[in-house]
Amino acid sequence: MIGLGTIINVSLIIIGGLLGLLFGGRLNRRFQETLLKSQGLCLLFVGMGGAMEKMLQISGENLSSSGTIMIVVCFAVGSLIGEACNFEKRIEQFGEWIRAKTGNANDNEFVNAFVMTSLTVCIGAMAVVGSIQDGISGDYHTLALKGVIDMIIVCAMTASLGKGSIFSAIPVALFQGTITILASFLQPIMTEQALANLSLTGSMLIFCVGVNMVWGKKFKPANMLPTIVIAVIWALIAA
């Protein structure tokens, strides 16, 4: 069944969010803050690990790095485009709309939880690769695995940030559903190098989310989202 992978992924996110809501309701503010910092720390290392995996190469006895020019150019161009379009504000407005429609107008952390969690579970090569596999052959296994990982992440983030995290299921459904529908068109574009570039820049954006969770809002990762697209284009031009 085409689209089953996204359905499984979204369902697991909702389950994780509900479990986090149940668990988080039993924690006082001090424990929620500690949980938030711990998850931010994990995202920092997930982001660093993913970036280093793509940048560092072992050649004989030497360790070298690659992709430096690519990330500098792509982040510069992508961030300028994102800032001009102000994607961060638009996602926050979408979060505000969901908050109003779901009767959570009094939840001051709702939008922050929605934005942070959405960026964490949407960014990454697994979402793109899994959605293409789902759209081309109906293979849902990659998205099912991603769903299990997302369930754990959303559970922890809901427990620390609040119920806004649960609604990250909406952008995941929209993003992965769109890629699934356009899979036949996107498959030739997503070469091995394009996926590597996407994974590298996506990992750096996840690192930015982790920084915001630990030290407060220092970055606007949503305004850097065009970087991923520019990184894919870079791979196609360089091919």
Side-chain angles (χ1 to χ4, degrees):
M1 173 183 170
I2 302 298
L4 180 59
T6 294
I7 293 173
I8 293 173
N9 197 165
V10 169
S11 299
L12 289 172
I13 286 175
I14 294 172
I15 292 171
L18 293 175
L19 290 173
L21 198 61
L22 178 65
F23 176 64
R26 301 173 184 272
L27 300 176
N28 62 35
R29 186 61 190 170
R30 182 167 62 90
F31 283 94
Q32 290 177 346
E33 185 70 19
T34 299
L35 183 59
L36 175 65
K37 299 294 189 197
S38 70
Q39 294 309 298
L41 178 63
C42 291
L43 289 182
L44 286 173
F45 278 90
V46 168
M48 284 191 292
M52 293 299 99
E53 180 184 0
K54 299 302 178 183
M55 289 188 70
L56 298 181
Q57 299 175 344
I58 298 177
S59 178
E61 296 181 354
N62 298 320
L63 182 65
S64 61
S65 64
S66 62
T68 304
I69 296 176
M70 186 274 291
I71 60 175
V72 170
V73 173
C74 290
F75 265 92
V77 175
S79 296
L80 288 175
I81 293 172
E83 196 66 38
C85 298
N86 205 353
F87 288 122
E88 187 95 6
K89 183 63 176 178
R90 295 180 188 279
I91 295 176
E92 288 176 354
Q93 288 173 338
F94 184 46
E96 293 281 4
W97 181 81
I98 295 175
R99 182 173 73 166
K101 292 297 182 180
T102 55
N104 292 292
N106 295 325
D107 186 352
N108 294 327
E109 292 297 320
F110 186 96
V111 175
N112 183 49
F114 170 74
V115 173
M116 279 196 177
T117 311
S118 296
L119 290 172
T120 303
V121 296
C122 279
I123 299 171
M126 283 185 78
V128 176
V129 173
S131 297
I132 291 175
Q133 291 172 341
D134 194 11
I136 295 293
S137 62
D139 182 359
Y140 61 85
H141 292 92
T142 299
L143 290 185
L145 175 59
K146 177 180 177 292
V148 174
I149 298 171
D150 289 348
M151 180 177 67
I152 298 170
I153 292 171
V154 173
C155 179
M157 294 185 79
T158 303
S160 58
L161 290 170
K163 65 180 71 173
S165 296
I166 302 175
F167 293 91
S168 61
I170 297 175
V172 168
L174 293 173
F175 179 63
Q176 293 180 184
T178 301
I179 295 176
T180 299
I181 294 171
L182 300 175
S184 58
F185 170 73
L186 293 173
Q187 186 182 30
I189 298 174
M190 300 310 298
T191 63
E192 183 178 348
Q193 187 57 53
L195 288 171
N197 288 1
L198 187 152
S199 181
L200 170 55
T201 51
S203 294
M204 294 175 69
L205 291 177
I206 289 175
F207 177 85
C208 293
V209 175
V211 170
N212 287 351
M213 290 178 69
V214 175
W215 291 288
K217 195 168 184 178
K218 304 296 183 183
F219 293 103
K220 295 180 180 179
N223 281 354
M224 300 179 186
L225 283 175
T227 299
I228 295 175
V229 178
I230 303 299
V232 172
I233 294 173
W234 180 285
L236 297 176
I237 294 174

